[in-house]
Amino acid sequence: MLDVLFAGEVFCDLVFAGIPHLPAPGSEVYADRFAVAAGGTATRSVAAARLGLRAGLFGVVGTDFLGDHLMAELSREENLDLTWLLRDPTVHTPVTVAVSHEHDRAFITYEEEGARRPEVWEGELPDVRFLHLGIAGPLPGWVGDLRARGTRVVGGVGWDPTGRWSREVLSRLDEVDMFVCNAVEATSYTRTGTVEEAAKVLADFVADVVVTDGALGAVAVDGGTGELVRIPVPAVPAVDPTGAGDVFTAALITGLTHGWPLTTRLRFAGLCAALSVQSLGGAAGAPRRKAVGAFLAELPGIPDEDVERMRAVLR
């Protein structure tokens, strides 16, 4: 059985960092760091695998040189099952150029229709404890099939390039068991002014809600008690924030697989995300258990019971 299956778009990320500012039209700036890494859904998959979960990846890449590179890199990851990562010779592998500096970041993405998450599952569905996928559009039928078999579904969304932030997304929340999004997404979809207000509105549609709030940590609503909690994230110097939200989600699901309380899951996800921003590249910056354990040993103020739960898994 898989611990978690991540379904969605897989990108080849070209990451530039250490620039003084984002380039203006007609100008040129020079980066002092560069990386080529798997991105998008692959970041979440790699992060979960490095934290000890048996993870699967369902998506599409081309048979071009970028697809070859991603397959070679991802195949090196222990615990990551690529059985459902499809190769399609008719599409170009999606690519994103990520440019980041101390205060902001920007992306340029190329993606073809055929490289998006498949709507049809060919063959037998796997046994899987958790499924994560985007719910910005209608969910394919195989998601309901997995959920009917006992899989817990974690939904997410992404940046809306149209700027409409359609409230239709809220109508799909009853098709998932947990919803994880960032502060901009939460407040935009709910038309609210604060993360706390947004989380409360979202909790009317889905039992468990987690909203990441950048350097301010995360806000969540406990599905069992209805309690609203905010957990801070460790303050660290950021080299590249690309993929931090993906790492947070993978670590959050890791906590779910171990049955941790909500506050423990949020603390663990926050420290994994904080560790990831100190490295360059989405999947490349996803931390391994040994690094997380060393980082945990340096952090003050974490309750002893949370430390013990994390250490037991990281060992």
Side-chain angles (χ1 to χ4, degrees), residues 3-181:
D3 290 311
V4 58
L5 175 69
F6 293 95
E9 290 69 42
V10 178
F11 294 86
C12 184
D13 284 354
L14 309 180
V15 185
F16 297 81
I19 64 172
H21 53 80
L22 296 179
S27 68
E28 182 177 14
V29 296
Y30 286 85
D32 61 21
R33 279 157 289 181
F34 172 74
V36 180
T41 305
T43 301
R44 294 185 284 274
S45 305
V46 169
R50 289 182 179 181
L51 292 173
L53 300 190
R54 183 164 183 242
L57 175 57
F58 182 46
V60 179
V61 295
T63 56
D64 50 18
F65 74 99
L66 292 178
D68 290 342
H69 175 77
L70 290 182
M71 293 297 295
E73 290 297 314
L74 293 172
S75 65
R76 296 188 181 98
E77 295 293 337
E78 186 180 2
N79 300 323
L80 181 55
D81 193 332
L82 301 181
T83 300
W84 304 279
L85 181 55
L86 311 177
R87 305 294 303 274
D88 188 340
T90 68
V91 302
H92 290 288
T93 298
V95 59
T96 290
V97 176
V99 183
S100 61
H101 65 94
E102 183 179 0
H103 303 293
D104 206 352
R105 56 181 175 158
F107 303 95
I108 300 175
T109 294
Y110 178 76
E111 177 187 19
E112 296 180 350
E113 183 71 29
R116 292 177 182 163
R117 181 190 70 208
E119 296 301 301
V120 176
W121 189 289
E122 301 289 351
E124 185 178 353
L125 289 167
D127 293 324
V128 55
R129 297 174 64 190
F130 292 89
L131 166 69
H132 179 279
L133 80 167
I135 62 169
L139 274 62
W142 54 264
V143 176
D145 294 339
L146 280 176
R147 198 180 186 201
R149 292 167 51 171
T151 299
R152 294 183 64 186
V153 180
V154 181
V157 286
W159 176 257
D160 183 358
T162 70
R164 291 194 295 266
W165 302 100
S166 172
R167 289 179 65 87
E168 287 184 11
V169 166
L170 303 183
S171 68
R172 284 189 281 274
L173 292 179
D174 63 353
E175 299 181 62
V176 303
D177 301 289
M178 173 178 282
F179 183 54
V180 184
C181 61

Side-chain angles (χ1 to χ4, degrees), residues 234 236 275 278 290-302 307 311:
V236 297
L275 192 55
Q278 300 177 66
K290 184 177 180 180
V292 177
F295 189 44
L296 176 63
E298 300 172 355
L299 296 175
I302 297 180
V307 172
R311 283 178 176 169

